[in-house]
């Protein structure tokens, strides 16, 4: 998995590319935790992720918790149907702000 | 501070290991690795086999005894990883998500070839599933044809148990307030009419989607037919025409692993991720709890999926046949379950396994209670004799972790032990009250002289449960086993031809009545009578002390076409047709309001049996009537009673209730007793009236004009409330 991080219009956009599973979860976590600062607004564009395992779901939740703990905000966009279904079935979806598109994600972050 | 035991002591083919911990059994994530621990009293050689997920060939096979390398200097060293009868080893640096594991075992005891009787069945060539496996793969997608060439069919996986419950706990709804809805996970939403997204049909996730339906109906507990991993392909047969399955192990009363949820019941099952499957079920329990609904599991501890001498070796028989199963002197399996083998439940090892499993489900999945299939087997000793003080049943009753769980016995077995009313209860156990079922059915169809038996049902069967109270009685008219309610009033005989045994299987004593025609009919009068009988039945159930249980779909007149043993059908016979909700909206409304009536009136939900004493202004808690007030006929087919206070004599603000059950074919006038406290009667229910006059929502009952007498129609139930 690769992790592209860029800043667009004062938003931090994170683009993971590849699967997020037990092997790649630490890369994702380290990368995202490094950019969390109080008040930061982070858009995670998941359109490059085709598969997320239970370890992937956990690392997303941990990251999200750390962010909200530092008064940063995270919005997920571009989840494919499989990931959306597994997040819904397992209830992980309830913890996140999820939007379909980048524009809607930007709007949600204000 | 770093732990010392994250470092290996030995190396085997590049895998870094150290001696493990014998407890807990199974595969447990520990700092730095995974601890594997498995019991066998009679094996003296054991090998841990690790696979990458789904691989046929092992990644490595690590013996628990043999030559290893020392971790620090790679010198050869002899090692053994065993404590007593427990093989245990920690393997470091494994990717638990991509891992499956098995064991191989061997022994100096003489082994037995398949098909022959024998005490020991060690076969070192076989991969054995861990009895404590928390997740099991191999049947990840329901009904998918298995790769029979794979030597490891049911594959143990690892579960990461950090689910975020957000403070959820078991609900601990008082037993007397429970209203149980018995459900098959797949059958509930598999039908195309269920309206759930296609990838979710028939899964845990889909039940979550249907929570609003359950809440609207008013039930506060679902009892799930078996959800421990089973093999739906066991005893299956292909249908040559459709290329689908003609028959399969649909109900699932045949456990492969006691600690693992059925992977194919999870929408996420096809992802082959044991933790994800566990998360999905936990999320369902959490969401049900948020909505005030408990979860009871129907658990099958009386036998396993390994069958008799001819059956497959999955786990137990290859690990320690003589410990896990009841065997006679020649080594044949005792068959008290009717399925080929009997789990040796009162062997101390097996007893601990059953306890460990139930504790795991209660603690890790927040399960609220358990219904034990053929529970009488759990009270037999290792040679099959019924025990006066069965250690397993006692241990369950006194267990600290299960301390608030509901424990419900199916108090009989296939070996002839019938313990309804006499199951060893230890103040904890309730029973499926089969005698209540039979009494209601016979009273309902108009058998003569049933009013006395029905009066016992109404009181929560004090004839059976004196000293235990009405909450020992799970009252039901129908369950998965036998006719649906609609079929109970539509068929005199079972029609099980589809099961492929020329109608020989299934019970013959159904106490059913077809109302004048066998099966579906266009005859209006017959259909009206059937409708009325279904309403009568649920009214009798909801008006009786004890714990009512209804069968999935009875509220919308589900039929299984007269088949009373649909264990093997994955088709419309077993799938709930949701279109029935609209077709039978009046019946659904009647069920809903009858349930609401029960919930509105504490006098229907006593923890203790009624005492024969006056309480409310000189009225007994329960008084008996007939066509004449105060003069019951105990040998007829009409029964009336008045409830004026709770069993403890307190009115608790509840209204007196009068019930007349006329199971005579013609209308009868019932002389009404005067209600207590100068109140006047209001009409709640009259099943002889068409909807919506058949039942009024609690609180909206209109005054009943004639205060002295009620002409109750033939085969009808009437309920009055004093206000």
């Amino acid at each position: 998995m690769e992790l592209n991080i860029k800043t667009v219009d004062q938003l931090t956009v994170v683009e993971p590319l590849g699967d997020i599973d037990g092997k790649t979860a630490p890369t994702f976590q380290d990368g995202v935790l490094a950019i969390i600062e109080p008040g930061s607004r982070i858009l995670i564009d998941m359109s490059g992720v085709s598969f997320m395992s239970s370890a992937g779901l956990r690392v997303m939740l941990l990251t999200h918790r750390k962010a909200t703990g530092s008064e940063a905000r995270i919005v997920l966009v571009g989840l494919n149907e499989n990931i959306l279904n597994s997040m819904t079935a397992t209830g992980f979806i309830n913890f996140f702000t999820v939007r379909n598109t980048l524009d809607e994600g930007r709007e949600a972050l204000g | 501070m770093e732990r010392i035991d994250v470092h290996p002591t030995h190396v085997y083919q590049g895998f870094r290991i150290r001696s493990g911990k014998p407890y807990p059994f199974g595969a447990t994530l520990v700092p730095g690795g995974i601890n594997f621990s498995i019991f066998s009293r009679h094996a003296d050689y054991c090998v841990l086999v690790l696979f990458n997920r789904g691989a046929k060939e092992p990644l490595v096979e690590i013996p628990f005894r043999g030559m290893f390398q020392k971790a620090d200097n790679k010198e050869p060293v002899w090692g053994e990883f065993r404590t007593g009868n427990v093989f245990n080893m920690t393997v470091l640096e494994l990717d638990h998500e991509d891992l499956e594991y098995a064991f191989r075992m061997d022994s100096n005891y003489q082994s037995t070839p398949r098909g022959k009787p024998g005490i020991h069945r060690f076969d070192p060539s076989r991969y054995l599933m861990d009895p404590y496996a928390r997740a099991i793969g191999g049947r990840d997608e329901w009904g998918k044809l298995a790769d029979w060439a794979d030597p490891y069919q049911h594959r143990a996986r690892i579960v990461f148990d950090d689910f975020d419950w957000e403070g959820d706990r078991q609900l601990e709804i008082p037993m007397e307030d429970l209203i149980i809805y018995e459900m098959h996970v797949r059958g509930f939403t598999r039908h195309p009419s269920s309206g759930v997204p296609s990838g979710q049909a028939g899964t845990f996730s889909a039940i979550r989607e249907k929570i609003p339906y359950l809440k609207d109906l008013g039930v506060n507990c679902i009892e799930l037919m078996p959800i421990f991993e089973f093999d739906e392909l066991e005893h299956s047969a292909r249908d040559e025409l459709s290329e689908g399955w003609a028959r399969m192990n649909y109900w699932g009363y045949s456990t492969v692993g006691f600690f693992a949820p059925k992977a194919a019941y999870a929408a996420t099952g096809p992802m082959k991720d044991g933790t994800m499957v566990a998360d999905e079920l936990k999320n369902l329990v959490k969401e049900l709890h948020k909505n005030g609904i408990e979860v009871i599991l129907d658990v099958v501890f009386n036998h396993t999926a390994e069958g008799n001498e001819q059956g497959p070796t999955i786990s137990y028989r290859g690990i320690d046949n003589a410990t896990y199963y009841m065997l006679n002197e020649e080594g044949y399996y005792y068959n008290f379950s009717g399925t080929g083998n009997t789990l040796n439940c009162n062997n101390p090892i097996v007893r601990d396994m059953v306890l460990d499993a139930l504790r795991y489900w209660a603690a890790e999945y927040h399960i609220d209670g358990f219904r034990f299939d053929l529970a009488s087997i759990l009270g037999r000793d290792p040679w099959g004799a019924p025990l006066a003080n069965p250690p397993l049943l006692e241990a369950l009753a006194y267990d600290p972790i299960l301390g608030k769980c509901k424990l419900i016995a199916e108090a009989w077995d296939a070996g002839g032990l019938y313990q309804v009313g006499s199951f060893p209860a230890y103040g904890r156990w309730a029973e499926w009250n089969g005698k209540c079922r039979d009494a209601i059915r016979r009273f309902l169809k108009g058998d003569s002289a049933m009013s006395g038996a029905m009066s016992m049902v109404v009181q929560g069967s004090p004839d059976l449960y004196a000293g235990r109270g009405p909450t020992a009685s799970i009252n039901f008219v129908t369950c998965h086993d036998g006719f649906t309610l609609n079929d109970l009033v539509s068929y005199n005989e079972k029609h099980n031809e589809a099961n492929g045994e020329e109608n020989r299987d299934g019970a013959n004593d159904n106490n059913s009545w077809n109302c004048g025609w066998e099966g579906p009919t266009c005859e209006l009068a017959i259909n009206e009578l059937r409708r009325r009988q279904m309403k009568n039945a649920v009214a009798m159930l909801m008006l009786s002390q004890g714990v009512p249980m209804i069968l999935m779909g009875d509220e919308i007149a589900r039929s299984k076409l007269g088949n009373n043993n649909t264990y093997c059908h994955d088709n419309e016979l077993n799938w709930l047709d949701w279109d029935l909700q609209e077709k039978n909206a009046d019946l659904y409304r009647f069920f809903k309001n009858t349930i609401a009536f029960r919930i509105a009136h504490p006098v229907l939900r006593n923890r203790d049996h009624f005492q024969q004493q006056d309480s409310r202004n000189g009225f007994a808690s329960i008084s008996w009537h007939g066509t004449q007030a105060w003069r019951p006929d105990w040998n007829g087919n009409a029964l009336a009673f008045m409830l004026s206070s709770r069993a403890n004599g307190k009115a608790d603000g509840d209204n007196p209730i009068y019930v007349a059950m006329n199971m005579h074919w013609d209308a009868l006038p019932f002389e009404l007793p005067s209600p207590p406290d100068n109140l006047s009667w209001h009409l709640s229910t009259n099943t002889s009236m068409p909807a919506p006059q058949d039942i009024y929502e609690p609180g909206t009952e209109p005054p009943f004009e004639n205060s002295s007498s009620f002409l109750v129609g033939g085969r009808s139930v009437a309920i009055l409330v004093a206000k």
Side-chain angles (χ1 to χ4, degrees), chain B residues 119-166:
Chain B
I119 304 297
H120 300 293
R121 293 183 179 276
F122 292 102
D123 178 352
S125 73
R126 290 201 172 273
Y127 297 134
L128 303 168
M129 186 200 82
D130 181 2
Y132 277 71
R134 268 77 155 172
I136 299 170
R139 299 289 182 272
D140 304 286
E141 206 170 323
W142 179 276
K144 192 175 169 190
L145 198 57
D147 175 4
W148 300 112
D150 189 333
Y152 191 35
Q153 290 287 315
H154 301 283
R155 310 172 68 91
R157 291 181 183 152
I158 316 286
V159 170
F160 203 63
D161 54 3
D162 66 339
F163 184 77
D164 189 350
W165 284 97
E166 298 183 287

Side-chain angles (χ1 to χ4, degrees), chain A residues 78-91:
Chain A
L79 294 159
N80 75 25
E81 201 184 333
N82 274 342
I83 295 176
L84 208 51
N85 286 345
S86 56
M87 288 182 77
T88 305
T90 54

Side-chain angles (χ1 to χ4, degrees), chain A residues 37-84:
Chain A
E37 284 173 15
S40 54
R41 296 180 299 154
I42 302 165
L43 195 63
I44 304 184
D45 179 0
M46 297 287 289
S47 52
V49 178
S50 54
F51 171 83
M52 191 153 60
S53 75
S54 55
L57 293 175
R58 278 162 173 69
V59 80
M60 295 289 285
L61 183 55
L62 282 174
T63 313
H64 182 261
R65 288 257 157 95
K66 293 242 164 87
T68 44
S70 357
E71 292 173 14
R73 291 167 60 202
I74 290 186
V75 170
L76 303 182
V77 299
L79 294 159
N80 75 25
E81 201 184 333
N82 274 342
I83 295 176
L84 208 51

Side-chain angles (χ1 to χ4, degrees), chain B residues 191-476:
Chain B
H191 198 280
S193 62
S194 74
V196 301
S198 63
Q200 286 184 34
T203 66
F204 296 131
S205 188
I207 297 176
R208 198 194 68 248
E209 301 260 347
K210 290 292 188 185
I211 289 175
Y213 176 83
L214 297 168
K215 275 192 84 169
D216 185 67
L217 180 60
V219 296
N220 57 17
C221 176
I222 58 171
E223 179 170 315
L224 301 178
M225 285 168 68
I227 64 147
F228 292 178
E229 180 65 26
F230 63 87
D231 183 1
E232 70 273 20
L233 305 184
E234 183 188 356
H235 302 305
S236 60
R238 301 287 286 176
D239 181 351
E240 302 303 333
L241 287 177
S242 70
E243 296 184 354
W245 296 103
R247 286 190 299 281
M248 58 176 17
N249 172 25
Y250 176 85
W251 278 356
Y253 287 87
S254 186
T255 310
V256 166
F258 298 101
F259 293 78
K262 172 87 185 116
Y265 277 170
T268 56
M271 294 178 73
K272 303 186 179 183
D273 182 332
T275 304
M276 188 99 74
V277 170
D279 286 347
E280 181 174 332
L281 177 54
K282 289 171 185 176
N283 185 46
L284 169 62
V285 175
K286 181 174 154 184
E287 293 294 326
L288 284 163
H289 282 175
K290 269 188 203 164
N291 287 281
I293 299 173
E294 290 198 343
V295 181
I296 288 178
L297 300 185
D298 187 344
V299 294
V300 189
F301 284 108
N302 56 74
H303 71 285
T304 75
E306 293 189 312
N308 64 9
E309 297 78 32
Q310 310 283 349
T313 297
I314 297 169
S315 168
Y316 315 91
R317 71 165 36 134
I319 292 168
D320 205 330
N321 193 53
T323 293
Y324 283 110
Y325 292 111
M326 288 191 199
L327 302 169
N328 71 12
E329 283 177 5
E330 297 162 82
Y332 283 103
Y333 292 96
Y334 280 114
N335 186 17
F336 298 111
S337 65
T339 60
N341 66 51
T342 310
L343 201 69
N344 196 6
C345 289
N346 281 306
N347 170 291
I349 300 292
V350 184
R351 191 167 74 216
D352 283 355
M353 179 182 77
V354 174
L355 260 178
D356 285 346
L358 292 167
R359 288 172 166 176
Y360 177 71
W361 288 101
E364 201 52 50
Y365 284 85
H366 296 196
I367 296 300
D368 299 278
F370 303 94
R371 176 269 187 192
F372 295 75
D373 183 60
L374 301 184
S376 291
I377 286 181
L378 279 48
R380 290 181 184 266
D381 75 11
W383 301 272
L387 290 156
N389 190 27
L392 174 57
L393 299 180
E394 185 184 33
L396 292 170
Y398 287 96
D399 189 79
I401 293 171
L402 305 176
K404 299 282 191 289
C405 285
K406 278 90 181 171
L407 301 177
I408 302 168
E410 185 186 32
W412 55 85
D413 67 23
L417 197 53
Y418 190 81
Q419 296 180 302
V420 171
S422 63
F423 192 81
Y426 306 99
R428 283 292 309 280
W429 284 83
E431 298 172 8
W432 267 26
N433 188 347
K435 290 182 181 173
C436 153
R437 172 199 61 205
D438 297 343
I440 294 182
R441 286 181 175 199
R442 293 185 59 199
F443 181 63
L444 180 71
K445 77 189 176 79
D447 279 9
S448 60
M450 286 304 294
S451 54
M454 189 63 205
S455 75
M456 287 295 156
V457 171
V458 163
Q459 298 174 76
S461 301
D463 53 333
L464 299 172
Y465 303 114
R468 291 166 65 184
T471 54
S473 178
I474 307 298
N475 298 332
F476 64 106

